[in-house]
Amino acid sequence: MTLPLTILPEVADALARGTPVVALESTIITHGMPFPQNVEMARSVEDAIRQGGAVPATIAIMDGRIQIGLSSDMLDRLGQTPHAMKLSRADLAVGLTSGKVGATTVAATMICARLAGIEVFATGGIGGVHRGAETSFDISADLPELAQTAVTVVAAGAKAILDLPKTLEVLETQGVPVIAFGQDAFPAFWSRDSGLKSPLRMDTAAEIAAAHAMRQTLGLPGGQLVANPIRPEDEIAPEVINPAIEQALADAQAQGVAAKDVTPFLLDHIFHATGGRSLTSNIALVLNNARLAAEIAGEIANRRKA
Ligand code: PSU
Ligand code: MN
């Protein structure tokens, strides 16, 4: 059986020439934001990557194939599919054989990016260890994926809907380098500072590219997590976001939400509780991550040429 991979010509061309490419996930489009802001966000993130000198490759599952790069029509179709599947490592193969439209999480996007030869990926926030994981065992498949798939992922840290100290502990156990960009603190999505120190810090894209290359030289299988803090002007004050998070968590527990429904449920409830304010910041931080990812992809491409 050949790989069911369709690469958009613009992306295939960039990969063949060795020019920078940045992968983007699609669960953020189908399960992370409402329509039409989700599709608008996806387009402006692609533009930001182009302005940064790289080619964007949004990844999703359509018609039984992994699509690496979506045409404008495909993006519209994805953004408007009401019940697109949310596919992580566990369900990627079943999603493909079903022939349905599926969105890829951070974990599944890393797998697909790797298959296509893309080394850098930008998103908003990664999944992690959920609060109460000591009883629910809810730990996102994004964490073990970072330990085994060699893609550098740029995110704004992780949301405070998660247990951030436990998330950092699991990343350390799994051997994932967690690199805060330009500061000592580990960022917490809507805020620049989670109150936790980041295990590692780097101040330039070139350093991140060098570490990425060194892991390859050492034969280490996993990727890197780059935690890029939201810009100060886009932050949400703790007194606004924290009550929304607490309420969303309480609602999820009261309604018995579990497994892969937890993260989309929390995101949707926080969106409504903040009157959409969470979304504005969410879009701003994804753009910020896209710009840094384009720069890192550029540095990785430069190293190849040198
Ligand atoms: N966190 C966010 N926004 C998101 C997600 C996580 O702040 O959109 C999405 C990503 O696709 C991530 C997935 O990979 O949710 C994690 O889901 P789970 O916790 O079920 O592994
Ligand atoms: Mn989970």
Side-chain angles (χ1 to χ4, degrees), residues 25 27-28 31-32 86 88 104-107 124-128 130 138 140-142 159 189 259-260 263 267 282:
E25 62 151 312
T27 298
I28 190 175
H31 294 73
K86 174 184 165 187
S88 194
T104 49
T105 63
V106 168
I126 60 155
H130 281 264
D138 190 349
S140 174
D142 293 350
K159 285 203 169 100
F189 203 82
K260 60 200 283 180
T263 300
L267 299 183
N282 200 338

Side-chain angles (χ1 to χ4, degrees), residues 27-303:
T27 298
I28 190 175
I29 300 172
T30 56
H31 294 73
M33 294 182 188
F35 180 81
Q37 288 98 328
N38 58 352
V39 174
E40 286 161 16
M41 177 278 307
R43 288 193 211 287
S44 48
V45 169
E46 291 198 348
D47 288 344
I49 288 170
R50 287 205 175 85
Q51 276 161 26
V55 173
T58 303
I59 295 178
I61 305 306
M62 281 179 181
D63 308 314
R65 307 206 38 101
I66 300 171
Q67 298 288 341
I68 305 287
L70 301 183
S71 66
S72 189
D73 286 350
M74 286 173 167
L75 193 58
D76 279 327
R77 188 176 153 204
L78 180 75
Q80 295 181 70
T81 302
H83 299 290
M85 296 176 86
K86 174 184 165 187
L87 305 174
S88 194
R89 168 174 277 265
D91 12 54
L92 182 59
V94 169
L96 281 163
T97 51
S98 77
K100 292 183 185 153
V101 173
T104 49
T105 63
V106 168
T109 304
M110 290 178 75
I111 295 170
C112 298
R114 189 83 194 109
L115 289 172
I118 302 172
E119 297 178 67
V120 182
F121 161 25
T123 187
I126 60 155
V129 180
H130 281 264
R131 297 198 204 173
E134 58 275 25
T135 51
S136 70
F137 277 49
D138 190 349
I139 301 176
S140 174
D142 293 350
L143 302 186
E145 201 60 52
L146 279 159
Q148 61 184 310
T149 301
V151 173
T152 286
V153 178
V154 183
K159 285 203 169 100
I161 56 174
L162 300 170
D163 186 322
L164 298 181
K166 287 193 183 73
T167 300
L168 289 178
E169 289 294 348
V170 170
L171 286 165
E172 187 196 32
T173 304
Q174 299 266 340
V176 178
V178 176
I179 304 161
F181 187 67
Q183 66 178 29
D184 293 327
F186 181 68
F189 203 82
W190 289 295
S191 40
R192 291 172 63 79
D193 187 349
S194 63
L196 301 166
K197 191 175 184 302
S198 173
L200 299 163
R201 168 187 175 152
M202 287 182 179
D203 294 296
T204 64
E207 284 173 86
I208 296 166
H212 176 98
M214 183 57 81
R215 286 183 65 87
Q216 271 172 357
T217 303
L218 296 174
L220 294 173
Q224 310 189 103
L225 176 61
V226 177
N228 185 29
I230 188 171
R231 293 186 310 185
E233 59 269 36
D234 300 319
E235 274 189 298
I236 304 188
E239 56 274 23
V240 175
I241 202 67
N242 288 344
I245 291 173
E246 296 301 333
Q247 189 59 51
L249 288 164
D251 291 348
Q253 199 170 20
Q255 296 179 38
V257 180
K260 60 200 283 180
D261 297 333
V262 174
T263 300
F265 179 96
L266 295 174
L267 299 183
D268 181 59
H269 277 237
I270 294 167
F271 167 74
H272 286 105
T274 59
R277 173 76 182 81
S278 66
L279 183 61
T280 318
S281 291
N282 200 338
I283 293 171
L285 67 82
V286 179
L287 285 169
N288 197 38
N289 296 342
R291 288 186 284 264
L292 178 57
E295 221 186 308
I296 296 167
E299 293 291 348
I300 291 174
N302 286 341
R303 296 180 66 86

